[in-house]
Coordinates of all heavy atoms in Angstrom, one line a residue:
M6 N 96.8 107.0 107.0 CA 97.0 106.2 105.8 C 97.7 104.9 106.0 O 98.6 104.8 106.9 CB 97.7 107.1 104.7 CG 97.0 108.3 104.2 SD 97.8 109.0 102.8 CE 97.1 108.2 101.5
A7 N 97.4 103.9 105.2 CA 98.0 102.6 105.3 C 99.4 102.7 104.8 O 99.7 103.5 103.9 CB 97.2 101.6 104.5
R8 N 100.2 101.8 105.3 CA 101.6 101.7 104.9 C 101.8 100.3 104.3 O 101.2 99.3 104.8 CB 102.6 101.9 106.0 CG 102.6 103.4 106.5 CD 103.7 103.6 107.5 NE 103.7 105.0 107.9 CZ 104.5 105.9 107.4 NH1 105.2 105.6 106.4 NH2 104.5 107.1 107.8
S9 N 102.8 100.2 103.4 CA 103.1 98.9 102.8 C 104.6 98.8 102.6 O 105.3 99.8 102.7 CB 102.5 98.7 101.5 OG 101.1 98.8 101.6
W10 N 105.2 97.6 102.4 CA 106.6 97.4 102.0 C 106.8 97.6 100.5 O 106.0 97.1 99.7 CB 107.0 96.0 102.4 CG 107.2 95.9 103.9 CD1 106.4 95.2 104.8 CD2 108.3 96.4 104.7 NE1 107.0 95.3 106.0 CE2 108.1 96.1 106.0 CE3 109.4 97.2 104.3 CZ2 109.0 96.5 107.0 CZ3 110.3 97.6 105.3 CH2 110.0 97.3 106.7
Y11 N 107.8 98.3 100.2 CA 108.2 98.6 98.8 C 109.7 98.3 98.6 O 110.5 98.8 99.4 CB 107.9 100.0 98.4 CG 106.4 100.3 98.4 CD1 105.8 100.8 99.5 CD2 105.6 100.1 97.3 CE1 104.4 101.1 99.6 CE2 104.3 100.3 97.3 CZ 103.7 100.8 98.4 OH 102.3 101.1 98.4
A12 N 110.0 97.4 97.6 CA 111.4 97.1 97.3 C 111.9 98.1 96.3 O 111.2 98.5 95.4 CB 111.4 95.7 96.7
Y13 N 113.1 98.6 96.6 CA 113.8 99.5 95.7 C 114.2 98.8 94.5 O 114.8 97.6 94.5 CB 115.0 100.1 96.4 CG 115.8 101.1 95.6 CD1 115.2 102.1 94.9 CD2 117.2 100.9 95.4 CE1 116.0 103.0 94.2 CE2 117.9 101.7 94.7 CZ 117.3 102.8 94.0 OH 118.1 103.7 93.3
D14 N 114.1 99.4 93.3 CA 114.4 98.7 92.0 C 115.9 98.6 91.8 O 116.4 98.0 90.9 CB 113.7 99.3 90.8 CG 114.1 100.7 90.5 OD1 115.1 101.2 91.0 OD2 113.4 101.3 89.7
G15 N 116.7 99.4 92.6 CA 118.2 99.4 92.4 C 118.8 100.2 91.3 O 120.0 100.3 91.2
M16 N 117.9 100.8 90.5 CA 118.4 101.6 89.4 C 117.9 103.1 89.4 O 118.6 104.0 89.0 CB 117.9 101.0 88.1 CG 118.5 99.6 87.9 SD 117.8 98.8 86.4 CE 116.1 98.6 86.8
G17 N 116.7 103.3 89.8 CA 116.1 104.6 89.8 C 116.5 105.5 90.9 O 117.3 105.1 91.8
N18 N 116.0 106.7 90.8 CA 116.3 107.7 91.9 C 115.6 107.3 93.2 O 114.4 107.1 93.2 CB 115.8 109.1 91.4 CG 116.1 110.2 92.4 OD1 116.1 110.0 93.6 ND2 116.2 111.4 91.8
P19 N 116.4 107.1 94.2 CA 115.7 106.6 95.5 C 114.8 107.6 96.1 O 114.1 107.2 97.1 CB 116.9 106.3 96.4 CG 118.0 107.2 95.9 CD 117.8 107.3 94.4
F20 N 114.7 108.8 95.6 CA 113.8 109.8 96.1 C 112.5 109.9 95.3 O 111.7 110.8 95.6 CB 114.5 111.1 96.3 CG 115.7 111.1 97.2 CD1 117.0 111.0 96.7 CD2 115.5 111.0 98.6 CE1 118.0 110.9 97.5 CE2 116.6 110.9 99.4 CZ 117.9 110.9 98.9
L21 N 112.3 109.0 94.3 CA 111.1 109.1 93.5 C 110.3 107.8 93.8 O 110.8 106.7 93.8 CB 111.5 109.1 92.0 CG 112.2 110.3 91.5 CD1 112.6 110.2 90.0 CD2 111.4 111.6 91.8
T22 N 109.0 108.0 93.9 CA 108.1 106.9 94.2 C 108.1 105.7 93.2 O 108.0 104.6 93.5 CB 106.7 107.3 94.4 OG1 106.2 108.0 93.3 CG2 106.6 108.3 95.6
N23 N 108.3 106.1 91.9 CA 108.3 105.0 90.9 C 109.6 104.2 90.9 O 109.7 103.3 90.0 CB 108.0 105.6 89.5 CG 109.1 106.6 89.0 OD1 110.0 106.9 89.7 ND2 108.9 107.1 87.8
S24 N 110.5 104.4 91.8 CA 111.7 103.6 91.9 C 111.5 102.4 92.9 O 112.4 101.6 93.2 CB 112.9 104.4 92.4 OG 113.2 105.3 91.4
Y25 N 110.2 102.3 93.4 CA 109.9 101.3 94.4 C 108.7 100.4 93.9 O 107.8 101.0 93.2 CB 109.5 101.9 95.7 CG 110.7 102.7 96.3 CD1 110.9 104.0 96.0 CD2 111.6 102.0 97.1 CE1 112.0 104.7 96.5 CE2 112.7 102.7 97.7 CZ 112.9 104.0 97.4 OH 113.9 104.7 97.9
N26 N 108.7 99.1 94.2 CA 107.7 98.2 93.8 C 107.1 97.5 95.1 O 107.8 97.1 95.9 CB 108.2 97.1 92.9 CG 108.8 97.8 91.6 OD1 108.1 98.4 90.9 ND2 110.1 97.6 91.4
F27 N 105.8 97.5 95.1 CA 105.1 96.8 96.2 C 105.5 95.4 96.4 O 105.8 94.7 95.4 CB 103.6 96.9 95.9 CG 102.7 96.1 96.9 CD1 102.4 96.8 98.1 CD2 102.3 94.9 96.7 CE1 101.7 96.1 99.1 CE2 101.6 94.2 97.7 CZ 101.3 94.8 98.9
T28 N 105.6 95.0 97.7 CA 105.9 93.6 98.0 C 105.1 93.2 99.2 O 104.8 94.0 100.1 CB 107.4 93.4 98.3 OG1 107.6 92.0 98.7 CG2 107.9 94.3 99.5
F29 N 104.6 91.9 99.1 CA 103.7 91.4 100.2 C 104.5 91.1 101.5 O 104.0 90.9 102.5 CB 103.0 90.2 99.7 CG 101.9 90.5 98.8 CD1 102.0 90.3 97.4 CD2 100.7 91.0 99.2 CE1 101.0 90.6 96.5 CE2 99.6 91.3 98.4 CZ 99.8 91.1 97.0
I30 N 105.8 90.9 101.3 CA 106.6 90.4 102.4 C 107.6 91.4 103.0 O 108.0 92.3 102.3 CB 107.4 89.1 102.0 CG1 108.4 89.5 100.8 CG2 106.5 88.0 101.7 CD1 109.3 88.4 100.4
K31 N 107.8 91.3 104.3 CA 108.8 92.2 104.9 C 110.2 91.7 104.5 O 110.5 90.5 104.4 CB 108.7 92.0 106.5 CG 109.6 92.9 107.2 CD 109.4 92.8 108.7 CE 110.4 93.6 109.5 NZ 110.2 93.5 110.9
P32 N 111.1 92.6 104.1 CA 112.4 92.2 103.6 C 113.3 91.5 104.6 O 113.2 91.8 105.8 CB 113.0 93.6 103.1 CG 112.3 94.6 103.9 CD 110.9 94.1 104.2
A33 N 114.1 90.7 104.1 CA 115.1 89.9 104.9 C 116.3 90.8 105.2 O 117.1 90.5 106.1 CB 115.4 88.6 104.3
C34 N 116.6 91.8 104.3 CA 117.7 92.7 104.4 C 117.5 93.6 105.7 O 116.4 93.7 106.2 CB 117.9 93.5 103.2 SG 116.4 94.4 102.7
L35 N 118.6 94.2 106.1 CA 118.4 95.2 107.2 C 119.4 96.3 107.1 O 119.0 97.5 107.0 CB 118.5 94.5 108.6 CG 118.2 95.3 109.8 CD1 116.8 95.9 109.8 CD2 118.4 94.5 111.1
H36 N 120.7 96.0 107.2 CA 121.7 97.1 107.2 C 122.6 97.0 105.9 O 122.8 96.0 105.3 CB 122.7 96.9 108.4 CG 122.0 96.9 109.7 ND1 121.3 98.0 110.1 CD2 121.8 96.0 110.7 CE1 120.8 97.8 111.3 NE2 121.1 96.6 111.7
G37 N 123.1 98.2 105.5 CA 124.0 98.3 104.3 C 123.8 99.6 103.7 O 123.0 100.4 104.1
C38 N 124.7 99.9 102.8 CA 124.7 101.3 102.2 C 123.9 101.4 101.0 O 123.7 102.5 100.4 CB 126.2 101.7 101.9 SG 127.0 100.7 100.7
K39 N 123.3 100.3 100.5 CA 122.3 100.4 99.3 C 120.9 100.2 99.9 O 120.7 99.4 100.7 CB 122.7 99.3 98.3 CG 124.0 99.5 97.6 CD 124.2 98.4 96.6 CE 125.6 98.6 95.9 NZ 125.8 97.5 95.0
I40 N 120.0 100.9 99.3 CA 118.6 100.8 99.8 C 118.1 99.4 99.3 O 118.3 99.0 98.2 CB 117.7 101.9 99.2 CG1 118.2 103.2 99.7 CG2 116.3 101.7 99.5 CD1 117.5 104.4 99.0
C41 N 117.4 98.7 100.2 CA 116.8 97.5 100.0 C 115.3 97.7 99.8 O 114.7 97.3 98.8 CB 117.1 96.5 101.1 SG 116.3 94.9 100.9
A42 N 114.7 98.2 100.9 CA 113.2 98.4 100.9 C 112.8 99.5 101.9 O 113.6 99.9 102.7 CB 112.6 97.1 101.3
I43 N 111.6 100.0 101.7 CA 111.1 101.0 102.6 C 109.7 100.6 103.0 O 109.0 99.9 102.3 CB 111.1 102.4 101.9 CG1 110.2 102.4 100.7 CG2 112.5 102.9 101.6 CD1 109.9 103.8 100.0
Y44 N 109.3 101.1 104.1 CA 107.9 101.0 104.7 C 107.3 102.3 104.5 O 107.6 103.2 105.3 CB 108.0 100.5 106.1 CG 106.7 100.0 106.7 CD1 106.0 99.0 106.1 CD2 106.1 100.6 107.8 CE1 104.8 98.5 106.6 CE2 104.9 100.2 108.3 CZ 104.3 99.1 107.7 OH 103.1 98.7 108.2
A45 N 106.5 102.5 103.5 CA 106.0 103.8 103.2 C 104.4 103.9 103.0 O 103.8 102.8 102.9 CB 106.6 104.3 101.9
T46 N 103.9 105.1 103.0 CA 102.5 105.3 102.8 C 102.0 104.8 101.4 O 102.7 105.2 100.4 CB 102.1 106.8 103.0 OG1 102.6 107.2 104.2 CG2 100.7 107.0 102.8
G47 N 101.0 104.0 101.4 CA 100.4 103.6 100.1 C 100.0 102.1 100.2 O 100.4 101.4 101.1
T48 N 99.2 101.7 99.2 CA 98.8 100.3 99.1 C 98.9 99.8 97.6 O 98.5 98.7 97.3 CB 97.4 100.1 99.6 OG1 96.5 101.0 98.9 CG2 97.3 100.3 101.1
G49 N 99.4 100.7 96.7 CA 99.4 100.4 95.3 C 100.8 99.9 94.9 O 101.6 99.5 95.7
N50 N 101.0 99.9 93.6 CA 102.3 99.3 93.0 C 103.5 100.1 93.5 O 104.6 99.6 93.6 CB 102.2 99.3 91.5 CG 101.3 98.3 91.0 OD1 101.0 97.3 91.7 ND2 100.7 98.5 89.8
S51 N 103.4 101.4 93.7 CA 104.4 102.3 94.2 C 103.9 103.1 95.4 O 102.7 103.3 95.5 CB 104.9 103.3 93.1 OG 105.5 102.6 92.1
P52 N 104.7 103.6 96.3 CA 104.3 104.4 97.4 C 103.5 105.6 96.9 O 103.8 106.1 95.8 CB 105.5 104.8 98.2 CG 106.7 104.1 97.6 CD 106.2 103.5 96.3
S53 N 102.5 106.1 97.7 CA 101.8 107.3 97.2 C 102.6 108.5 97.4 O 102.5 109.5 96.7 CB 100.5 107.4 98.0 OG 100.7 107.3 99.4
V54 N 103.5 108.5 98.4 CA 104.4 109.7 98.7 C 105.6 109.2 99.5 O 105.5 108.2 100.2 CB 103.6 110.7 99.5 CG1 103.2 110.3 100.9 CG2 104.3 112.0 99.5
L55 N 106.7 109.9 99.3 CA 107.9 109.7 100.2 C 108.0 110.9 101.1 O 108.3 112.0 100.6 CB 109.2 109.5 99.4 CG 109.2 108.3 98.5 CD1 110.6 108.3 97.7 CD2 109.0 107.0 99.2
S56 N 107.6 110.7 102.3 CA 107.6 111.8 103.3 C 108.9 112.4 103.5 O 110.0 111.8 103.2 CB 107.0 111.3 104.6 OG 107.9 110.5 105.3
G57 N 109.0 113.6 104.1 CA 110.2 114.2 104.5 C 111.0 113.3 105.4 O 112.3 113.2 105.3
N58 N 110.4 112.6 106.3 CA 111.0 111.7 107.2 C 111.7 110.5 106.5 O 112.8 110.2 106.7 CB 110.1 111.1 108.3 CG 109.8 112.1 109.4 OD1 110.5 113.1 109.6 ND2 108.7 111.9 110.1
I59 N 110.9 109.9 105.6 CA 111.5 108.8 104.8 C 112.7 109.3 104.0 O 113.7 108.6 103.9 CB 110.4 108.2 103.8 CG1 109.3 107.5 104.6 CG2 111.0 107.3 102.8 CD1 109.6 106.2 105.2
R60 N 112.6 110.5 103.4 CA 113.7 111.0 102.6 C 115.0 111.2 103.5 O 116.1 110.9 103.1 CB 113.4 112.3 102.0 CG 112.4 112.1 100.8 CD 111.8 113.5 100.4 NE 110.8 113.3 99.4 CZ 111.0 113.3 98.1 NH1 112.2 113.3 97.6 NH2 110.0 113.1 97.2
S61 N 114.8 111.7 104.7 CA 115.9 111.9 105.7 C 116.4 110.5 106.1 O 117.7 110.3 106.2 CB 115.4 112.6 106.9 OG 115.1 113.9 106.6
Y62 N 115.6 109.5 106.3 CA 116.0 108.2 106.6 C 116.9 107.6 105.5 O 117.9 106.9 105.8 CB 114.9 107.3 107.0 CG 114.0 107.7 108.1 CD1 112.7 107.3 108.2 CD2 114.5 108.5 109.2 CE1 111.9 107.7 109.3 CE2 113.7 108.8 110.2 CZ 112.4 108.4 110.3 OH 111.6 108.8 111.3
I63 N 116.5 107.8 104.3 CA 117.2 107.3 103.1 C 118.6 107.9 103.1 O 119.6 107.2 103.0 CB 116.5 107.6 101.8 CG1 115.2 106.7 101.7 CG2 117.4 107.4 100.6 CD1 114.3 107.1 100.6
I64 N 118.7 109.2 103.3 CA 120.0 109.9 103.3 C 120.9 109.3 104.5 O 122.0 109.0 104.3 CB 119.9 111.4 103.4 CG1 119.2 111.9 102.2 CG2 121.2 112.1 103.8 CD1 118.7 113.4 102.3
N65 N 120.3 109.2 105.7 CA 121.0 108.7 106.8 C 121.5 107.3 106.6 O 122.6 106.9 107.0 CB 120.2 108.8 108.1 CG 119.9 110.2 108.5 OD1 120.6 111.1 108.1 ND2 118.9 110.4 109.4
M66 N 120.7 106.4 106.0 CA 121.1 105.0 105.8 C 122.2 104.9 104.8 O 123.1 104.1 105.0 CB 119.9 104.2 105.3 CG 120.0 102.7 105.3 SD 120.7 101.9 103.8 CE 120.1 102.9 102.5
M67 N 122.3 105.8 103.8 CA 123.4 105.8 102.8 C 124.7 106.2 103.5 O 125.7 105.8 103.1 CB 123.0 106.7 101.7 CG 121.9 106.2 100.8 SD 121.5 107.5 99.6 CE 120.6 106.6 98.4
V68 N 124.6 107.1 104.4 CA 125.8 107.6 105.1 C 126.3 106.7 106.2 O 127.5 106.4 106.4 CB 125.6 109.0 105.7 CG1 126.7 109.5 106.5 CG2 125.3 110.0 104.5
L69 N 125.3 106.2 107.0 CA 125.7 105.4 108.2 C 125.7 103.9 108.0 O 126.2 103.2 108.9 CB 124.7 105.7 109.3 CG 124.7 107.1 109.8 CD1 123.6 107.3 110.8 CD2 126.0 107.5 110.4
P70 N 125.3 103.3 106.9 CA 124.9 102.0 106.5 C 124.2 101.2 107.6 O 124.5 100.0 107.9 CB 126.2 101.3 106.1 CG 127.3 102.0 106.7 CD 126.8 103.4 106.9
V71 N 123.2 101.9 108.3 CA 122.4 101.2 109.3 C 120.9 101.5 109.0 O 120.6 102.7 108.6 CB 122.8 101.8 110.7 CG1 121.9 101.3 111.8 CG2 124.2 101.6 111.0
A72 N 120.1 100.5 109.2 CA 118.6 100.7 108.9 C 118.1 101.9 109.7 O 118.6 102.2 110.8 CB 117.9 99.5 109.3
Q73 N 117.2 102.6 109.2 CA 116.7 103.9 109.8 C 115.2 104.0 110.0 O 114.5 103.4 109.3 CB 117.1 105.1 108.8 CG 118.5 105.3 108.6 CD 119.2 105.8 109.8 OE1 118.7 106.6 110.5 NE2 120.4 105.2 110.1
P74 N 114.9 104.7 111.1 CA 115.7 105.4 112.0 C 116.4 104.4 113.0 O 115.9 103.3 113.3 CB 114.7 106.3 112.8 CG 113.4 105.6 112.7 CD 113.4 104.9 111.4
A75 N 117.6 104.7 113.4 CA 118.4 103.9 114.2 C 118.2 104.1 115.7 O 118.6 103.2 116.5 CB 119.9 104.1 113.9
E76 N 117.6 105.2 116.1 CA 117.4 105.5 117.5 C 116.0 106.0 117.7 O 115.5 106.6 116.8 CB 118.5 106.5 118.0 CG 119.9 106.0 117.9 CD 120.9 107.1 118.3 OE1 120.5 108.3 118.4 OE2 122.0 106.8 118.5
P77 N 115.5 105.8 118.9 CA 116.0 105.1 120.0 C 115.8 103.6 119.8 O 115.1 103.2 118.9 CB 115.1 105.5 121.2 CG 113.8 105.9 120.5 CD 114.2 106.5 119.2
A78 N 116.4 102.8 120.6 CA 116.4 101.3 120.5 C 114.9 100.9 120.5 O 114.1 101.4 121.2 CB 117.1 100.6 121.6
G79 N 114.6 99.9 119.6 CA 113.2 99.4 119.5 C 112.3 100.2 118.6 O 111.1 99.8 118.5
I80 N 112.7 101.3 118.0 CA 111.8 102.1 117.2 C 111.5 101.4 115.9 O 112.3 100.6 115.4 CB 112.5 103.5 116.9 CG1 111.5 104.5 116.4 CG2 113.7 103.4 116.0 CD1 111.9 105.9 116.3
K81 N 110.3 101.7 115.3 CA 110.0 101.1 114.0 C 110.9 101.6 113.0 O 111.2 102.8 112.8 CB 108.5 101.6 113.7 CG 108.1 101.2 112.3 CD 107.9 99.7 112.2 CE 107.3 99.3 110.9 NZ 107.5 97.9 110.6
I82 N 111.4 100.7 112.2 CA 112.4 101.0 111.1 C 111.6 101.1 109.8 O 110.8 100.2 109.5 CB 113.5 99.9 111.0 CG1 114.3 99.9 112.3 CG2 114.4 100.1 109.8 CD1 115.3 98.7 112.4
Y83 N 111.9 102.2 109.0 CA 111.2 102.5 107.8 C 112.1 102.3 106.5 O 111.5 102.2 105.4 CB 110.6 103.9 107.8 CG 109.5 104.0 108.8 CD1 109.8 104.5 110.1 CD2 108.2 103.7 108.4 CE1 108.7 104.6 111.0 CE2 107.2 103.9 109.4 CZ 107.4 104.3 110.6 OH 106.4 104.4 111.5
V84 N 113.4 102.3 106.7 CA 114.3 102.2 105.5 C 115.3 101.1 105.8 O 116.0 101.2 106.8 CB 115.0 103.5 105.2 CG1 116.0 103.4 104.1 CG2 114.0 104.6 104.9
Y85 N 115.3 100.1 105.0 CA 116.2 99.0 105.2 C 117.3 99.0 104.1 O 117.1 99.4 103.0 CB 115.5 97.6 105.0 CG 114.6 97.2 106.2 CD1 113.8 98.1 106.8 CD2 114.7 95.9 106.6 CE1 113.0 97.7 107.9 CE2 113.9 95.5 107.7 CZ 113.1 96.4 108.3 OH 112.3 96.0 109.4
G86 N 118.5 98.6 104.5 CA 119.6 98.6 103.6 C 120.1 97.2 103.2 O 119.6 96.2 103.8
K87 N 121.0 97.1 102.3 CA 121.7 95.8 102.0 C 123.1 96.1 101.6 O 123.6 97.2 101.5 CB 120.9 95.1 100.8 CG 121.0 95.9 99.5 CD 120.2 95.1 98.4 CE 120.1 95.9 97.1 NZ 119.4 95.2 96.1
N88 N 123.9 95.0 101.5 CA 125.3 95.1 101.3 C 125.7 96.0 100.1 O 125.0 96.1 99.1 CB 125.9 93.7 101.0 CG 125.8 92.8 102.3 OD1 125.7 93.3 103.4 ND2 125.9 91.5 102.1
C89 N 126.8 96.7 100.3 CA 127.3 97.6 99.3 C 127.8 96.9 98.1 O 128.3 95.9 98.0 CB 128.4 98.5 99.9 SG 127.8 99.4 101.4

């Protein structure tokens, strides 16, 4: 399935798809304890699903304030954060 960038609305539950809005651009944010954007399955206004991996990455990003997954070096990042 295709993946797209989705910006978090900053208010909704970060584990619900309707809390994200499609964006054509890759986010400029990267690290921080607040969710900025995710790279998730879907091509519509909201992601079609938040996989178990994406959910784990969201939790890890909130705890570690580092974009996820953080390891190994050079891995594709799916959850971006921004300043707290």
Side-chain angles (χ1 to χ4, degrees):
M6 291 188 91
R8 291 185 179 271
S9 301
W10 284 108
Y11 294 92
Y13 177 55
D14 67 12
M16 298 176 292
N18 182 329
F20 299 102
L21 297 178
T22 58
N23 64 355
S24 295
Y25 296 90
N26 299 299
F27 176 80
T28 179
F29 287 101
I30 58 173
K31 183 177 177 179
C34 54
L35 186 58
H36 301 298
C38 63
K39 293 181 182 176
I40 299 170
C41 175
I43 61 173
Y44 190 61
T46 303
T48 57
N50 291 333
S51 295
S53 55
V54 67
L55 296 181
S56 69
N58 283 343
I59 292 285
R60 291 171 185 270
S61 293
Y62 299 153
I63 290 169
I64 292 166
N65 292 345
M66 195 269 325
M67 290 174 164
V68 173
L69 298 173
V71 175
Q73 294 293 317
E76 296 177 350
I80 194 167
K81 174 69 178 165
I82 297 173
Y83 292 93
V84 177
Y85 283 47
K87 63 182 176 181
N88 293 337
C89 301

